Every structure is written in structure tokens, then in C-alpha cells.
Amino acid sequence: MTAPLDLRGETAAGRHRRAELTFALGGGRSALVRQVTPYPFHVTKPFALDRARPDLATLYLQSASGGVYRADRLDLSLTVKAGAAAHVTSQAATVVHDTGALPARQSLTIDVHADAFAAVTLDPLVLFPGAELTTTTHIRLGEGALALVADGVAWHDFSGAGRPFGRLTAETLVSGPAGGVLLRDRSTVRGAELCGERSLLGPGAGAYGAALLLGPMEAMPRPEALDAALDALGVRSGASPLPNGAGLGLRMIAANGGRITLAVEAVFALAVEAMLGFAPARRRK
């Protein structure tokens, strides 16, 4: 039996939507040459915010639906062609609502072609009580490519009763120019393990984040510089080399999602300065 449709054509089983963004270099600028953004995805026009690198395009990714709902399957594909430079960031945090017995799924695929630069810096997911989400990220690097992928997770019970979210499962895969696996990271955590005084993250923790800075080590910021910048924001962090010479990995713990947002902005600034050789302008939201 076919599930009933609502007025927007959605089914009771949730939405399956796939967005595609492709950037290519032309005329000294990185242009958005392909855009497929069905509801609930929405994007602004690309901005050239940095005088030092007018070829670096910044695109704000938005949601028109108020968050992620039960049984949603939302896929995003980002391709940055050879020599281009693109930064995709979210406009604000994304709420994941109670999914009941129908968990939601999100996937992100990033293809960074030869000598290209891609940064994806996302404001935290905010998991409401009962939210259950699976995320997958696959990053494919071409020869000489550089990439930064950073995001975070926070949780909130709007009733004030301290109810936990359900479960968050995440998997990240990074492939090199020859197609071999450089790293694979998997994790599963239940809200009950993070909420309250017995949180796995320690007392006072209300959010966490992670960043992958991908490329040769000589193009990476110093781990101690990352730690110092985040410590100044009240964020506990640790950076270490990734396996197979893939770059640097960074983990962050903070009191709330706002601190993680500031931390991701700081990581972006340090990564761009190390990878591209200039201090980027602030991405205002």
C-alpha cells in the first residue's frame, strides 16, 4: 500500500531528498556550476568574501523545513573540480526532532579534485529528546587536494526535564587519490550516556565536535595552535596526526553548542591560514 501524501507530496515514511553542488574554476573565480537543491535544502548565492583569495567561494546552506524529522533521508553531494576552492557552511544549528520508531539518516559526500580546496563547516546538530540519527560522510581526495570538514553535536530538552536523545551513529570514510582508504571512523552513542552528571564527556559537557584537516602535514596548522585557540574559547580539545599521513584530527568538548560553533570558526580560520596562506574574513551568520 502506498503511504498517504501530504500537501507537499511527502509520505508518512519521511522524505528522501538528494542535493548536489558542484564548483569549478573559471575566470579567476570558483563558480557554482551545478546546483540541485530540492526541498528542504536551500542555498544562497556564492560569495567572494576574501580579497586575498577572490577565487574562494563561500556558500551558505540552509534548511527550509525547521529541522530533521522521523524517517528523513537527506543526502548532500559536494564536488570541487580541479584547482577550485569552495567553502560550504550552514546558516545555523539544525534541530533533529523526536524520530520515534523511524530513525532519520543524513549523508555527505565530498569529492575534492586535484589541487582543489574544500571546506565544510557546519553548525551543531541539536538533538531533541527521542531523536535518533545516522550520519555518513565520505571524502574523496584527488592529488594535491586539501580539505577541512568540521561539525558538532549538542542536545536539548525543551521541557527542562533532562530527557535524553535516542541515539547518534556516525561513520566517516576518507579515500586517497588512488582510491585506497586513508581512514575510517565509526561511533555510536546514546543520549543517556551523555546527559546528566554521569556523562561520558565529564561534568558540565553539553556538546562535542570534531574536525578533519586533510592534506600533507606541512600544510597543517600546529596542533598546539589549535589547542590554544580553542582553550581561549572555553573548549577542551585534542589534535593528533591521522593515519596514513592523511592530516590532522581534532576532537572538542564544550558546555554548549554555541561554544562548538565558535570553535569550528576558529578551526576554519587557522586551517585556511595554514593551507591557503591568508587569514580569512569572518563568515557572518
Side-chain angles (χ1 to χ4, degrees):
M1 179 181 293
T2 302
L5 296 175
D6 68 13
L7 294 178
R8 292 194 303 272
E10 311 294 352
T11 71
R15 305 167 294 186
H16 184 190
R17 297 290 185 267
R18 176 180 173 82
E20 299 179 16
L21 303 170
T22 300
F23 288 86
L25 185 64
R29 298 289 181 105
S30 296
L32 183 61
V33 297
R34 176 174 171 79
Q35 173 185 332
V36 179
T37 50
Y39 178 90
F41 294 98
H42 180 72
V43 296
T44 63
K45 69 176 184 179
F47 295 96
L49 300 176
D50 304 291
R51 291 184 178 181
R53 287 292 300 264
D55 60 313
L56 174 57
T58 295
L59 187 75
Y60 288 87
L61 179 66
Q62 303 167 313
S63 172
S65 68
V68 178
Y69 297 86
R70 64 184 59 192
D72 276 356
R73 182 177 173 185
L74 305 175
D75 304 324
L76 173 63
S77 172
L78 170 65
T79 300
V80 184
K81 297 287 190 178
H87 174 211
V88 175
T89 187
S90 52
Q91 185 186 35
T94 299
V95 171
V96 184
H97 297 270
D98 184 353
T99 56
L102 300 171
R105 300 179 63 89
Q106 286 191 152
S107 75
L108 172 63
T109 302
I110 306 171
D111 283 296
V112 194
H113 291 197
D115 300 316
F117 169 80
V120 178
T121 59
L122 303 176
D123 292 83
L125 296 168
V126 180
L127 303 177
F128 277 4
E132 189 164 329
L133 177 69
T134 295
T135 68
T136 58
T137 303
H138 187 185
I139 307 162
R140 294 188 282 255
L141 301 172
E143 197 68 43
L146 297 168
L148 164 66
V149 181
D151 58 12
V153 177
W155 42 95
H156 175 66
D157 180 5
F158 44 83
S159 73
R163 296 173 300 163
F165 65 90
R167 179 171 60 185
L168 176 64
T169 300
E171 179 174 1
T172 300
L173 175 68
V174 179
S175 304
V181 174
L182 298 178
L183 70 91
R184 187 190 300 268
D185 182 78
R186 296 189 182 104
S187 66
T188 298
V189 65
R190 296 183 180 276
E193 298 172 315
L194 299 183
C195 298
E197 296 180 355
R198 302 178 68 180
S199 170
L200 294 175
L201 300 180
Y208 66 88
L212 294 176
L213 294 79
L214 303 172
M217 288 302 296
E218 56 267 27
M220 297 293 108
R222 293 179 296 108
E224 55 269 27
L226 290 166
D227 289 342
L230 300 189
D231 184 65
L233 297 172
V235 176
R236 289 177 282 165
S237 66
S240 60
L242 294 170
N244 300 307
L248 280 177
L250 178 70
R251 305 286 188 180
M252 301 170 280
I253 300 174
N256 53 57
R259 295 284 181 181
I260 294 295
T261 296
L262 294 174
V264 168
E265 292 175 355
V267 172
F268 172 76
L270 288 170
V272 168
E273 189 167 8
M275 292 178 175
L276 302 183
F278 74 98
R282 183 184 176 193
R283 272 56 179 166
R284 298 185 180 277
K285 300 181 182 181

